[in-house]
């Protein structure tokens, strides 16, 4: 199942690029409400159960949320460059999709990622690189290299020793 969802990442990236090319910024970060206005959060029993706030979202966005739920061990070490670290207190790209992963397996989802193309792109790229066998350090370096110019200061994510 996870390979199937992760293989869809390439399609999501194409869809994101296609939306950009056609001027359709369904998840563009431009124009959405400031981070600190209160993202919607919803708890589900596990990462296999997506939150109801995704019901009205595109299939592409739901796929990215599925990927985020399956790639928590990667995304928790990857910063986000949209500015949510400073304005919403996000500690990593994971927090753009998941606020908390509880010990009992329950997930507290966050809807921030539904409104932010940068968050979506970073999650898809990170999951794809992980699937392709890159280490966390290599993924982090690639994301930093891609987003360090022209984007917000990254979230203060520290790599594991």
């Amino acid at each position: 199942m996870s390979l199937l969802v992760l293989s869809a990442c390439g399609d999501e990236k194409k869809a994101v690029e296609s939306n950009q090319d056609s001027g359709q910024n369904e998840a563009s970060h431009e124009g959405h409400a400031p981070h600190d206005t209160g993202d919607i959060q919803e708890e589900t029993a596990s990462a296999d159960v997506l939150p109801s706030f995704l019901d009205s979202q595109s299939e592409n966005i739901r796929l990215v949320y599925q990927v985020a739920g399956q790639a928590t061990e990667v995304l928790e070490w990857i910063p986000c460059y949209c500015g949510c670290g400073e304005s919403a207190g996000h500690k990593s790209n994971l927090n753009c999709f998941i606020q908390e992963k509880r010990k009992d397996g329950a997930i507290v989802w966050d809807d921030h990622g539904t409104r932010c193309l940068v968050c979506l792109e970073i999650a898809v790229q990170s999951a794809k690189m992980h699937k392709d066998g890159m280490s966390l350090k290599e993924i982090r370096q690639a994301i930093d290299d891609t987003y360090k110019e022209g984007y917000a200061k990254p979230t203060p994510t520290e790599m594991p020793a």
Side-chain angles (χ1 to χ4, degrees), residues 15-113:
V16 167
E17 289 169 353
S18 173
N19 284 347
Q20 286 176 320
D21 293 342
S22 67
Q24 298 173 353
N25 284 329
E26 80 177 31
S28 172
H29 202 69
E30 294 177 21
H32 81 65
H35 300 283
D36 56 1
T37 61
D39 291 341
I40 296 170
Q41 295 181 347
E42 181 180 332
E43 183 176 338
T44 64
S46 72
D48 294 330
V49 182
L50 293 175
S52 64
F53 63 72
L54 292 177
D55 292 349
S56 62
Q57 298 294 327
S58 72
E59 181 64 23
N60 290 332
I61 290 175
R62 287 191 301 272
L63 280 172
V64 178
Y65 269 80
Q66 284 179 318
V67 167
Q70 295 175 0
T72 58
E73 73 285 348
V74 175
L75 299 183
E76 70 181 329
W77 302 111
I78 305 301
C80 189
Y81 280 86
C82 78
C84 61
E86 290 184 7
S87 62
H90 290 176
K91 293 183 169 87
S92 69
N93 181 248
L94 180 64
N95 292 143
C96 302
F97 307 95
I98 295 175
Q99 179 62 34
E100 181 182 358
K101 185 175 180 180
R102 300 215 169 123
K103 290 180 183 179
D104 66 357
I107 300 289
V108 179
W109 299 93
D110 191 298
D111 81 327
H112 175 80

